[in-house]
Amino acid sequence: MTLPLLTPIKHQWIKSFTKKSDQIKELIERYHSPINVHHMAPFEENYKEFSDVFNQYDLAHKIYFARKANKSIAFVKEAKRLDFGVDTASFKELSQCLEVGIPSENIALTAAVKEERLVRLAIENKVPIVIDNLDECALVQQVAEQLNKKVKVGIRIGGFLYEGKPLYSRFGFPPNEVVRMISENLGSRGKFNHLEFSGFHFHLNGYSPSQRAEAIIQTLTCVDELKSLNIPTQFIDIGGGFLINYLEDENQWNHFHEQLRKAIKGEREEVTFRNDSLGYQLIDGNLYGDAKVYPYYNDKPRAKFLKEILIYQDEYGTPVHSLLKNHNIEVRIEPGRSLLDQTGITCARVAFRKIDIAGNLLIGLEMNRTQMFSSSLDFLLDPIVLHQSSDSASEHVSGYLVGAYCLEQELILKRKIAFKQKPQIGDIVCFVNTAGYMMHFYESEAHLFDLAKNLVAVSNLDEFIVKPDEE
């Protein structure tokens, strides 16, 4: 039986660059496998796409790149060039932004855990801080007192009601408590008198535009309550989590899930390693649940997702964008993956081929699974194989891509891949659209393996100039 295909969308620079097999091979020989190659053109395109939506509704706005999604400093430099913001979540992320010269008003500090030196660095450089809990309030107050400075803070809010039930989040103050917390504790009248309230911040798990819209509506209720106490709100930051679409064809996506379900039930040969269910549960011959994977195909990516939030209507039929404008609120967002859409690829060299005891073809790559890994149970895109030579006589084969860690479950992809030509030692396998969270978020140095080299490609007519990220 044939294996389902999942053809990735490829930006023009990716199409062009992956034709440069000799250049990619030379880069791998120089920096060792694997390499991460980035290109800045889609980054600017994605930023402008978000900004255009805000401009369409005449909304004051600020866009922050969620730095945690990719470690390459080239994106920070590009954000500076384009004059938009960067959301930071660690001491090093913040210090790098300051070293690059990002203005303090274009930096947000949202770290989940804020140690004293991080808070001190932010206050010394007038970087606004998003606060999650009372202990953070106390820490920021303590450092601000020592420095004799006032600090602009955003207050994180979580636990919004949706369809009558609270949306769980471990972050933030509950909406029904946050107004009292701010009015009694912040500003000149409170015990945290060095903290100046500027706005609200939230970040919702999952990918529901309506949940985000409802969260905005409920946050605006808090804005109104604070206004009645003469406490103004400048902004509402709705975080990130904007979908992107990885795949060309919805039919391929649906067909894959259909074939996966058949394989789990034993109705066809496996399409994943050892018939991994990717999250489905088979109980007494029946399948339950869903695949625990990112929605790699979807019809509301990036700006369309944002627009869905803004056109959502409250119970009186007023769209969210009108509510925000009527309240004179600056809307802030922190996209990571969606700003990085189409900005990066990961390339690795084929090290070996073998047949395992179950008869599966295993293709070993000079990389490990943490170098292309996320919370999704698999990265469901077909890779591109750059063959050293074309072998028209080679038969089509299928197999699994495995990595360098000494683990039975060391799979680069769990999905069984169909190859038009059997990969040879020295061939290059390229994974498309990996810049957002796939490259760095879980990357480790077990076995003392080097981290993947981060490179930046610049288009020069029909050629590419490729340099290390740090240059």
Side-chain angles (χ1 to χ4, degrees):
M1 299 179 73
T2 59
L3 289 169
L5 301 176
L6 291 172
T7 306
I9 296 169
K10 297 181 284 292
H11 193 280
Q12 185 56 50
W13 86 266
I14 296 175
K15 294 178 182 178
S16 300
F17 187 75
T18 51
K19 293 177 181 177
K20 309 289 184 182
S21 56
D22 289 342
Q23 184 177 13
I24 295 173
K25 182 180 178 181
E26 189 276 328
L27 289 168
I28 285 178
E29 289 174 351
R30 188 191 316 172
Y31 297 111
H32 310 295
S33 179
I35 55 173
N36 296 321
V37 185
H38 305 86
H39 198 288
M40 295 299 111
F43 191 63
E44 180 176 1
E45 293 164 7
N46 297 334
Y47 163 72
K48 289 181 176 178
E49 186 179 285
F50 279 118
S51 188
D52 286 346
V53 173
F54 285 122
N55 291 333
Q56 178 183 347
Y57 296 108
D58 194 27
L59 286 172
H61 64 277
K62 183 166 282 189
I63 298 169
Y64 294 83
F65 165 54
R67 177 73 198 288
K68 61 182 175 286
N70 188 287
K71 293 192 299 187
S72 296
I73 200 166
F75 293 111
V76 176
K77 294 175 180 177
E78 187 69 358
K80 179 190 176 186
R81 186 184 74 83
L82 296 169
D83 194 31
F84 68 92
V86 181
D87 162 40
T88 62
S90 71
F91 182 87
K92 192 168 184 179
E93 285 186 2
L94 177 56
S95 60
Q96 283 186 348
C97 287
L98 294 168
E99 289 166 7
V100 166
I102 303 285
S104 59
E105 62 270 19
N106 280 0
I107 303 175
L109 175 60
T110 63
V113 174
K114 303 176 181 73
E115 72 272 27
E116 182 176 340
R117 68 168 186 158
L118 173 59
V119 170
R120 186 173 298 274
L121 181 65
I123 295 174
E124 287 175 340
N125 290 277
K126 299 181 179 179
V127 173
I129 301 174
V130 171
I131 289 180
D132 175 73
N133 54 68
L134 288 173
D135 286 341
E136 283 189 358
C137 288
L139 175 60
V140 174
Q141 172 72 16
Q142 173 190 324
V143 176
E145 283 180 348
Q146 293 170 0
L147 297 173
N148 193 27
K149 290 180 180 291
K150 300 290 187 181
V151 187
K152 290 185 177 181
V153 299
I155 299 299
R156 194 157 190 175
I157 187 171
F160 300 101
L161 290 177
Y162 184 74
E163 296 181 345
K165 297 179 180 179
L167 297 171
Y168 175 78
S169 175
R170 74 180 183 93
F171 297 108
F173 296 89
N176 61 349
E177 298 177 12
V178 72
V179 171
R180 181 178 177 183
M181 191 284 295
I182 292 169
S183 63
E184 293 185 356
N185 293 288
L186 271 58
S188 59
R189 294 171 292 181
K191 61 181 177 179
F192 305 130
N193 58 357
H194 281 257
L195 279 58
E196 297 179 345
F197 172 75
S198 296
F200 288 108
H201 177 284
F202 66 78
H203 180 89
L204 299 185
N205 206 22
Y207 304 104
S208 168
S210 59
Q211 287 182 1
R212 284 163 173 77
E214 285 291 340
I216 292 172
I217 292 167
Q218 291 169 50
T219 303
L220 287 172
T221 299
C222 297
V223 171
D224 289 336
E225 292 178 19
L226 286 175
K227 185 178 180 181
S228 71
L229 299 172
N230 295 315
I231 301 173
T233 303
Q234 176 192 346
F235 69 84
I236 296 175
D237 188 330
I238 68 173
F242 299 93
L243 284 169
I244 72 172
N245 180 32
Y246 286 88
L247 299 173
E248 287 186 354
D249 192 330
E250 181 180 11
N251 291 329
Q252 285 187 348
W253 178 241
N254 293 333
H255 179 63
F256 166 75
H257 282 277
E258 176 188 323
Q259 297 305 306
L260 173 63
R261 290 189 291 266
K262 285 184 176 181
I264 297 167
K265 295 170 72 173
E267 297 173 0
R268 63 152 294 157
E269 66 183 24
E270 67 183 29
V271 297
T272 54
F273 187 72
R274 303 196 71 179
N275 213 20
D276 191 304
S277 69
L278 299 184
Y280 284 110
Q281 295 185 51
L282 182 64
I283 303 174
D284 296 330
N286 296 312
L287 278 182
Y288 297 90
D290 297 298
K292 306 302 182 187
V293 296
Y294 188 87
Y296 289 98
Y297 182 88
N298 63 84
D299 59 3
K300 291 184 176 64
R302 296 193 310 261
K304 290 182 180 179
F305 189 94
L306 175 60
K307 191 169 184 178
E308 285 287 308
I309 298 170
L310 296 177
I311 64 175
Y312 182 92
Q313 296 180 359
D314 70 3
E315 60 182 317
Y316 304 106
T318 306
V320 165
H321 64 82
S322 294
L323 294 171
L324 289 163
K325 188 169 178 60
N326 293 341
H327 281 78
N328 196 28
I329 292 290
E330 178 181 85
V331 189
R332 298 181 178 181
I333 61 173
E334 298 166 3
R337 186 194 304 260
S338 52
L339 275 179
L340 295 168
D341 191 12
Q342 297 293 323
T343 62
I345 62 173
T346 298
C347 304
R349 181 179 178 270
V350 174
F352 68 79
R353 297 83 40 82
K354 65 173 290 186
I355 303 297
D356 69 7
I357 61 169
N360 296 310
L361 171 64
L362 306 182
I363 298 151
L365 302 184
E366 293 176 353
M367 67 181 295
N368 65 73
R369 64 175 176 159
T370 74
Q371 292 170 317
M372 201 186 69
F373 193 72
S374 76
S375 57
S376 175
L377 289 184
D378 204 14
F379 187 58
L380 297 173
L381 284 71
D382 290 338
I384 301 169
V385 181
L386 307 181
H387 297 283
Q388 297 176 96
S389 60
S390 178
D391 184 357
S392 59
S394 177
E395 61 180 324
H396 291 205
V397 298
S398 60
Y400 297 100
L401 299 172
V402 299
Y405 281 173
C406 297
L407 300 167
E408 290 289 354
Q409 64 269 33
E410 174 65 358
L411 294 149
I412 304 301
L413 299 178
K414 294 179 181 178
R415 187 165 65 95
K416 195 172 191 178
I417 302 298
F419 300 96
K420 294 181 180 179
Q421 177 180 326
K422 184 177 181 180
Q424 304 297 310
I425 295 173
D427 286 352
I428 306 298
V429 179
C430 299
F431 302 95
V432 174
N433 209 0
T434 54
Y437 289 104
M438 298 302 301
M439 292 178 178
H440 302 136
F441 207 70
Y442 290 92
E443 188 180 18
S444 70
E445 294 179 274
H447 300 333
L448 296 181
F449 285 138
D450 290 336
L451 298 176
K453 187 66 176 179
N454 295 310
L455 305 171
V456 179
V458 178
S459 301
N460 182 24
L461 299 177
D462 294 331
E463 302 299 323
F464 290 90
I465 299 170
V466 182
K467 295 182 179 180
D469 173 61
E470 61 270 19
E471 289 188 9

